[in-house]
Structures are given as structure tokens and as C-alpha cells.
Amino acid sequence: MPQVVSNLWFAEQAREAVEFYVSVIPDSRIGRTTILPAETPSGPPGSVELIEFTLGDQAFLAMKAGPLDSFNHSFSIAILLDSQAEIDRIWDAFLANGGTPEACGWLKDRWGLSWQIVPRALSEMVADSDRERAKRVTEVMLGMVKIDLAALERAFNG
């Protein structure tokens, strides 16, 4: 069976970013690290570092290979959580580490990568067959920066 791995290209500080991510997100770990022994378009032998890691059950590869393209909103990592305490802990950890809050549960970490820190229940609420309930939740969520699960549940339940 094929394995799908998201590849994150960092200009610098890939190791620091990965160590932060696995320290904040439960059930995460760093795997193998490889330093490329050959010259690459990114630099001389030893200048490119590959770090395999897992966040929850998702595999990633971080590559420190010098500047190329910046991260942008077209790629984000969503962390689906079950409680407000989990949302608060992870949100606060990212902001304390230099992240910037955005809207609707989104933030950018200090390396420019976009994250969605959201309750697992949100996708069920907005997909509910009662479209009025889904609309209320969506409208409330659109007014939030950090997600407030209790406010979403109040909107959902009318």
C-alpha cells in the first residue's frame, strides 16, 4: 500500500520547527534524520537535512534546504481536537513560540506554516443535514479567531 507523506521545505531551522511540533502535538515523534552527502542545487554536501517525523498519525518530511518558496495558506495542517482545553493548550503553545493568530481557528507559526487548531466536532456541525444549524455554526465560527467550542455548540443547538 502506498504511503503519503507531506513534505515541508524550510529555508532554515527545520530541526527546531520539528522539535517544537512533536513537543506540542500528542502522539508525535521524530524518526530518521539524513544529511545529504552530495552537492545539490541548494548547496554543498552536508547543507541539506531531511527529518522524518509523525504528528499524530500523519507522516511528514521536513527539509532544510535554503530559501525557495515561502509557506502560504494554500497548504495548512489541521489539528482536530476533542476539547476546549486541548484547543487552548495547543493554540497558546504556538502563539508563545512566536505564532500569529489569524481567523476561524487558523494561525501561522513562527516559520510561516499555517495551522488550523479546531474541534473535531466542527466538521460534523457544518455538514449537518439541518442546514439552518450548520449556517448558525458557520456564522459564529467566522467571527472567531481562536475557536470557542462551547459557543459553536450553543449556535448548533439554537
Side-chain angles (χ1 to χ4, degrees), residues 3 10 17 24-26 30 33 36 38 47 51 60-61 63-64 69 73 87 98 104-105 107 109 124 139 145 148 151:
Q3 180 181 11
F10 290 83
V24 172
I25 300 168
I30 296 174
T33 297
L36 294 185
S47 64
I51 306 163
F60 290 88
L61 175 71
M63 180 169 57
K64 181 194 74 128
D69 294 320
H73 288 99
I87 292 167
C104 306
L107 59 80
D109 69 22
E124 294 302 316
E139 289 173 344
V145 176
D148 177 342

Side-chain angles (χ1 to χ4, degrees), residues 7-112:
N7 188 339
L8 305 174
W9 183 307
F10 290 83
E12 299 177 353
Q13 300 182 336
R15 164 76 46 194
E16 188 175 337
V18 170
E19 287 174 352
F20 171 71
Y21 301 154
V22 301
S23 75
V24 172
I25 300 168
D27 301 320
S28 299
R29 66 190 175 287
I30 296 174
R32 179 174 52 197
T33 297
T34 304
I35 305 295
L36 294 185
E39 186 161 333
T40 72
S42 296
S47 64
V48 175
E49 180 179 23
L50 307 174
I51 306 163
E52 298 173 25
F53 67 107
T54 304
L55 300 178
D57 62 356
Q58 176 66 47
F60 290 88
L61 175 71
M63 180 169 57
K64 181 194 74 128
L68 181 64
D69 294 320
S70 301
F71 293 122
N72 63 52
H73 288 99
S74 65
F75 178 84
S76 66
I77 299 173
I79 304 174
L80 308 178
L81 301 160
D82 293 319
S83 71
Q84 189 66 49
E86 291 175 305
I87 292 167
D88 293 345
R89 183 186 69 77
I90 292 177
W91 182 270
D92 293 345
F94 273 85
L95 295 186
N97 194 49
T100 305
E102 293 188 332
C104 306
W106 287 61
L107 59 80
K108 271 196 189 286
D109 69 22
R110 71 184 227 196
W111 300 280

